[in-house]
Amino acid sequence: MLSIGLTGGIGSGKSTVTKILGELGAPIIDADKVGHAIYAPDGPAYQEMIVAFGREILAPDGTIDRRKLGPLVFADAAALQRLNSIVHPKMFTRMRQMIEELRSGGERNPIVIEAAILIEANWQPLFDQIWLVTASKERVIERIERDRGLKPEQTEARIRSQLPDEQRRKYSSTVITNDGTIEELRDKVAHLWQAALASGR
Ligand code: ADP
């Protein structure tokens, strides 16, 4: 059974593709949710994070407060590196376990893991296939302004802070270009899903 990693930049359409794949029958793992779980007080990164960044990252209830963590790492490349080196390998291990649990539970469909930072975090070994969702800068800016209310400059700044798609393409087995309508996207994804079903069993 295949594992498919789905990645792409902000507003490319990852969540939309993931939702379509879910409707087609794919079991979905959301890397963001895995990240939240490993930060939790009973999660595997909690103690190490406190050792690395101090108790000042904690909210009064003892959970790690990302709003306190953010300012400590975003202006400091070494601190961000330290954070990533704690969190990314633990997320990798947890996602591998989740894939194994689905398999041993009898799941036969390809498993889809949505992971915006798949390449940045070096999670490629988890996947049989990596699908990249991409859209032109113009489309992304327009959709993000329409649906999330971000100004074009804000979206452009986010795009600039991320890994460029040329880098993502190097690792991708499939590229889904999402410059058309949602219906066109749905058709593309349905075809890819059929092919994945055929090759994955
Ligand atoms: P990502 O998860 O990569 O950030 P989303 O799937 O959330 O991107 O898509 C960004 C926004 O664009 C969402 O509001 C989504 O509904 C919209 N969107 C995605 N694909 C299309 C499309 N083909 N046509 C119009 N809107 C789209």
Side-chain angles (χ1 to χ4, degrees), residues 9-16 143 146-148 178 180-182:
I10 175 180
S12 58
K14 293 178 300 295
S15 310
T16 308
R143 290 170 186 164
R146 183 194 64 198
D147 298 340
R148 295 187 204 162
N178 178 25
T181 64
I182 294 275

Side-chain angles (χ1 to χ4, degrees), residues 2-194:
L2 292 175
S3 60
I4 300 170
L6 192 70
T7 194
I10 175 180
S12 58
K14 293 178 300 295
S15 310
T16 308
V17 171
T18 302
K19 186 162 171 282
I20 296 168
L21 287 166
E23 288 162 7
L24 291 167
I28 306 288
I29 296 172
D30 176 345
D32 276 350
K33 288 195 188 145
V34 174
H36 286 124
I38 69 146
Y39 276 106
D42 60 351
Y46 182 78
Q47 292 300 342
E48 229 178 297
M49 291 285 291
I50 295 174
V51 171
F53 297 102
R55 300 192 70 84
E56 71 233 48
I57 62 170
L58 298 180
D61 67 358
T63 56
I64 292 173
D65 184 345
R66 288 179 174 223
R67 283 161 307 184
K68 294 184 174 167
L69 189 57
L72 295 180
V73 296
F74 290 123
D76 179 345
L80 181 59
Q81 170 79 39
R82 193 153 15 113
L83 169 68
N84 288 341
S85 70
I86 295 171
V87 170
H88 291 171
K90 292 182 167 54
M91 290 176 72
F92 182 96
T93 303
R94 181 66 193 125
M95 290 188 287
R96 191 174 54 198
Q97 271 171 0
M98 290 168 84
I99 293 171
E100 279 163 12
E101 280 164 19
L102 281 164
R103 286 190 174 139
S104 59
E107 179 62 59
R108 299 190 58 220
N109 276 346
I111 296 170
V112 172
I113 294 91
E114 180 186 349
I117 57 163
L118 192 163
I119 312 293
E120 294 87 328
N122 289 312
W123 291 332
Q124 296 91 324
L126 268 185
F127 305 109
D128 300 307
Q129 297 184 4
I130 295 176
W131 293 7
L132 170 65
V133 188
T134 178
S136 71
K137 198 162 87 175
E138 293 70 28
R139 286 288 93 74
V140 169
I141 288 174
E142 175 184 295
R143 290 170 186 164
I144 293 287
E145 187 166 28
R146 183 194 64 198
D147 298 340
R148 295 187 204 162
L150 274 195
K151 296 230 178 341
E153 316 78 85
Q154 294 174 298
T155 305
E156 279 201 64
R158 294 207 187 176
I159 293 172
R160 274 198 304 274
S161 75
Q162 294 183 335
L163 190 72
D165 269 355
E166 300 90 83
Q167 294 297 321
R168 295 195 178 99
R169 275 176 199 272
K170 291 185 190 165
Y171 300 93
S172 302
S173 47
T174 298
V175 177
I176 303 172
T177 303
N178 178 25
D179 283 331
T181 64
I182 294 275
E183 289 65 36
E184 283 167 333
L185 180 64
R186 208 179 288 282
D187 275 357
K188 283 186 190 181
V189 173
H191 278 106
L192 289 169
W193 177 247
Q194 286 309 321

